[in-house]
């Protein structure tokens, strides 16, 4: 079983998603969406290769019933899954380093 590590940028993404959804949809919808993201990330503890390969050793996992994607990296020698970012599927993040 791998341990999850949420990076600072990933935590910032969660806050930004929550703030936007609370403002544009509703607090209840924001809570459900963030719960879905966290639940899907937890899947990686047991199935760290559950997401599709991306580039430079990174992987992408879709969050069911949402437009969000989890970008993560495996650190196998520490049995750790590093959650790097949470992106909206329409967001342009391919140019990011």
């Amino acid at each position: 079983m791998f341990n999850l590590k949420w990076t600072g940028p990933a935590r910032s993404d969660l806050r930004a998603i929550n703030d936007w959804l609370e403002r544009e949809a509703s607090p209840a919808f924001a809570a459900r969406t963030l719960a879905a993201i966290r639940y899907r990330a937890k899947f990686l503890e047991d199935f760290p290769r559950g997401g599709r390969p991306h580039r430079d050793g990174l992987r992408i996992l879709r969050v069911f019933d949402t437009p969000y994607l989890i970008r993560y990296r495996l650190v196998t020698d520490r049995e750790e899954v590093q959650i790097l970012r949470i992106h909206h599927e329409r967001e342009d993040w391919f140019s990011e380093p």
Side-chain angles (χ1 to χ4, degrees), residues 42-57:
K42 194 156 178 55
F43 165 83
L44 295 170
E45 290 178 336
D46 293 320
F47 302 99
R49 290 174 180 79
R52 71 179 187 265
H54 179 52
R55 65 175 187 192
D56 300 329

Side-chain angles (χ1 to χ4, degrees), residues 18-68:
N18 183 64
D19 292 346
W20 190 86
L21 289 173
E22 281 188 346
R23 193 174 55 251
E24 300 297 326
S26 72
F29 185 76
R32 283 194 307 272
T33 301
L34 264 57
I37 293 169
R38 288 188 184 103
Y39 180 79
R40 189 69 168 136
K42 194 156 178 55
F43 165 83
L44 295 170
E45 290 178 336
D46 293 320
F47 302 99
R49 290 174 180 79
R52 71 179 187 265
H54 179 52
R55 65 175 187 192
D56 300 329
L58 303 182
R59 299 181 79 85
I60 302 291
L61 183 69
R62 175 168 293 287
V63 179
F64 296 135
D65 300 324
T66 77
Y68 293 101

Side-chain angles (χ1 to χ4, degrees), residues 7-19:
T7 64
R11 290 178 191 272
S12 293
D13 292 339
L14 287 176
R15 281 190 294 277
I17 291 166
N18 183 64
D19 292 346

